């Protein structure tokens, strides 16, 4: 009887702990307001107009410009990193030192691209998985001369999984950098699942950043990170519908629109045809992007080089191996037709710093 009593008490305690944790998760969950005004960080003191490298005021027309989009994977994904949500083993970066070293490489690469604009996703500010390193602060220090905005994507409760090394609490967002003056910016909330799925895929958003042009119009930079691990596939369609509404509104005003980021859909239709490794079943982000959904007046720009195709993302279920690892292009750009696209390409960093490679777009404003 004593044995059964001990077993019963143990089970009750475990149930109580589970219920308390479940209550904590649901009570801690929140979403930020839609149309939230973002702070625009101006260049640091000492980098104003007397500095030749300081940001310009208005974007010129008929002049070559470029923008680079990069999901930096919270500075955890070295080329041998595997992630539990992809079928791998790890749930956090290897160490704080690894995060800092990877962030150093990331900012060095970003500076070397010398782009006029950067759209950066998966930037942690206070997360267990990246040892609470504020990656936005590190990016801000490296780009003190640029205008910057930060839009929080999610602020998740502590995830007690995997048991031996919990993923923990995650607070992350998207960063936009500009050599030209950002006059204002807002955060738009995206539709997400309302059931238990919201605790897996968390909050999602995109930011709209306004930059004046020399002809009185605006270059509207939209930085987006769509959902990845949804179980309800209609959410992806709803997210695109909301995004397209804003793109169309800006286009109808006569503004120039560049929407870039991580779409978490196969932008090539079937990336395995280009990279040779078939996709595994069960990964929702490997679904084809609905090409016919792109609204009139806009183009989904192809970044594939048929002679030397380079993927923008890899499945992190194994260390990087080009012959075995599933590769896909999830990152890219949708642009309005008053923009002349000169070139779009994936920059082959061989996934040294992230499970994503950067994608660069060269263009002019007509």
């Amino acid at each position: 009887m004593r044995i059964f009593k001990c077993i019963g008490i143990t089970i009750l305690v475990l149930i109580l702990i589970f219920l308390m944790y479940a209550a904590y998760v649901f009570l801690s969950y929140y979403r930020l307001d839609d149309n939230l005004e973002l702070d625009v960080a101006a260049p640091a003191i000492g980098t104003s107009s007397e500095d030749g490298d300081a940001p310009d005021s208005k974007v010129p027309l008929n002049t070559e410009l470029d923008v680079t989009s990069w999901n930096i994977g919270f500075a955890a994904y070295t080329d041998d990193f595997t992630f539990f949500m992809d079928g791998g083993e790890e749930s956090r970066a290897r160490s704080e030192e690894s995060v800092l070293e990877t962030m150093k490489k990331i900012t060095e690469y970003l500076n070397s691209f010398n782009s006029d604009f950067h759209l950066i996703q998966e930037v942690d500010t206070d997360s267990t998985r990246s040892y609470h390193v504020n990656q936005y602060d590190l990016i801000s220090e490296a780009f003190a001369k640029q205008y910057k905005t930060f839009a929080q994507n999610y602020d998740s409760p502590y995830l007690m999984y995997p048991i031996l090394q919990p993923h923990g609490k995650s607070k992350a967002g998207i960063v936009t950098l500009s050599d030209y003056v950002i006059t204002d910016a807002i955060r738009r909330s995206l539709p997400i699942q309302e059931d238990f799925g919201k605790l897996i895929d968390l909050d999602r958003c995109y930011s709209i950043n306004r930059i004046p042009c020399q002809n009185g119009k605006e270059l509207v930079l939209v930085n987006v990170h769509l959902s990845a691990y949804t179980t309800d596939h209609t959410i992806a369609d709803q997210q695109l519908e909301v995004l397209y509404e804003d793109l169309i509104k800006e286009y109808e005003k006569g503004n120039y629109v560049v929407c870039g980021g991580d779409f978490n859909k196969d932008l090539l239709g079937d990336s395995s045809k280009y990279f040779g490794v078939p996709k595994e079943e069960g990964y929702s982000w490997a679904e084809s992007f609905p090409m016919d959904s792109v609204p009139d007046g806009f183009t989904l720009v192809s970044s594939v080089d048929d002679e030397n195709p380079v993927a923008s993302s890899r499945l992190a279920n194994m260390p990087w191996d080009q012959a075995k690892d599933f590769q896909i292009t999830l990152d890219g750009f949708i642009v309005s037709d008053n923009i002349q696209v000169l070139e779009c390409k994936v920059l082959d960093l061989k996934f040294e710093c992230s499970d994503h490679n950067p994608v660069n777009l060269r263009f002019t404003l007509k």
Side-chain angles (χ1 to χ4, degrees):
M1 289 296 294
R2 288 180 179 176
I3 293 174
F4 285 121
K5 186 177 181 180
C6 289
I7 292 173
I9 291 173
T10 301
I11 291 173
L12 287 174
V13 169
L14 291 175
I15 292 174
L16 181 60
I17 291 173
F18 173 78
L19 291 175
M20 291 175 64
Y21 174 70
Y24 152 74
V25 168
F26 278 96
L27 291 174
S28 300
Y29 181 85
Y30 72 97
R31 293 202 72 187
L32 293 174
D33 293 335
D34 194 11
N35 288 300
L36 187 66
E37 186 175 345
L38 300 176
D39 292 331
V40 178
I45 297 174
T47 59
S48 55
S49 58
E50 70 271 9
D51 189 332
D53 294 327
D56 297 307
S57 56
K58 296 183 179 180
V59 183
L61 275 60
N62 301 313
T63 300
E64 183 175 317
L65 302 162
D66 80 308
V67 55
T68 298
S69 176
W70 194 7
N71 180 329
I72 63 170
F74 58 93
Y77 291 81
T78 52
D79 56 6
D80 59 347
F81 184 86
T82 66
F83 190 53
F84 77 106
M85 291 287 283
D86 285 353
E89 298 180 355
E90 295 162 281
S91 59
R92 303 179 184 178
R94 303 272 169 76
S95 65
E96 181 179 353
E97 291 73 22
S98 175
V99 173
L100 292 171
E101 178 61 27
T102 303
M103 280 302 303
K104 183 174 182 292
K105 291 180 180 179
I106 286 170
T107 54
E108 288 174 349
Y109 273 124
L110 287 169
N111 267 306
S112 71
F113 301 153
N114 198 31
S115 295
D116 300 282
F117 314 98
H118 292 92
L119 307 176
I120 310 170
Q121 303 85 40
E122 208 80 61
V123 180
D124 277 4
T125 56
D126 185 16
S127 301
T128 309
R129 63 191 186 180
S130 52
Y131 298 88
H132 304 283
V133 173
N134 191 321
Q135 298 170 0
Y136 177 53
D137 282 353
L138 297 177
I139 292 172
S140 296
E141 291 171 8
F143 288 88
K145 298 177 181 179
Q146 277 69 37
Y147 283 83
K148 295 168 281 289
T149 66
F150 175 83
Q152 179 183 298
N153 227 7
Y154 48 78
D155 180 7
S156 74
Y158 196 98
L159 177 63
M160 286 296 300
Y161 187 83
I163 300 299
L164 296 180
Q165 190 185 59
H167 189 61
K169 179 179 175 61
S170 299
K171 190 172 184 179
I174 54 181
V175 175
T176 302
L177 306 173
S178 173
D179 281 351
Y180 296 87
V181 177
I182 300 176
T183 54
D184 61 88
I186 62 170
R187 177 195 186 275
R188 290 300 319 273
S189 296
L190 283 163
I192 60 169
Q193 291 183 230
E194 295 300 327
D195 55 16
F196 288 98
K198 69 182 181 182
L199 302 177
I200 298 174
D201 196 42
L202 310 175
D203 205 349
R204 292 289 169 176
C205 74
Y206 57 94
S207 66
I208 300 176
N209 303 268
R210 299 183 176 280
I211 305 170
C213 299
Q214 290 181 347
N215 64 347
K217 299 297 183 180
E218 292 178 313
L219 170 60
V220 179
L221 277 182
V222 180
N223 189 348
V224 65
H225 191 183
L226 301 185
S227 290
Y229 299 105
T230 54
T231 55
D232 181 355
H233 300 306
T234 65
I235 295 298
D237 294 334
Q238 293 176 35
Q239 290 184 346
L240 284 175
E241 288 173 6
V242 171
L243 176 65
Y244 289 156
E245 285 179 8
D246 275 333
L247 302 189
I248 292 169
K249 286 178 184 177
E250 297 302 330
Y251 177 67
E252 289 178 344
K253 294 177 187 177
N255 290 330
Y256 305 91
V257 183
V258 174
C259 173
D262 181 356
F263 291 89
N264 269 313
K265 289 289 177 285
D266 191 339
L267 300 187
L268 303 181
D270 183 1
S271 287
S272 61
K273 292 180 179 179
Y274 295 91
F275 309 118
V277 182
K279 73 176 180 180
E280 298 185 17
E281 296 297 327
Y283 292 101
S284 60
W285 54 261
E287 292 181 357
S288 298
F289 185 90
M291 307 295 181
D292 57 357
S293 72
V294 179
D296 292 340
F298 289 86
T299 302
L300 175 65
V301 183
S302 175
S303 61
V304 68
D305 181 344
D306 291 327
E307 296 183 2
N308 183 33
V310 179
S312 80
S313 184
R314 71 177 180 93
L315 181 63
N317 64 337
M318 66 175 71
W320 168 237
D321 183 329
Q322 188 170 0
K324 299 178 181 178
D325 202 353
F326 175 64
Q327 302 151 65
I328 187 171
T329 290
L330 306 174
D331 311 84
F333 300 92
I334 296 174
V335 302
S336 52
D337 63 11
N338 51 5
I339 291 175
Q340 177 67 47
V341 173
L342 303 177
E343 183 184 37
C344 186
K345 64 180 180 180
V346 179
L347 306 178
D348 190 5
L349 301 187
K350 303 187 186 306
F351 305 107
E352 179 185 357
C353 307
S354 171
D355 58 329
H356 291 250
N357 280 320
V359 182
N360 178 263
L361 173 73
R362 290 194 303 112
F363 64 96
T364 63
L365 306 184
K366 295 180 183 178

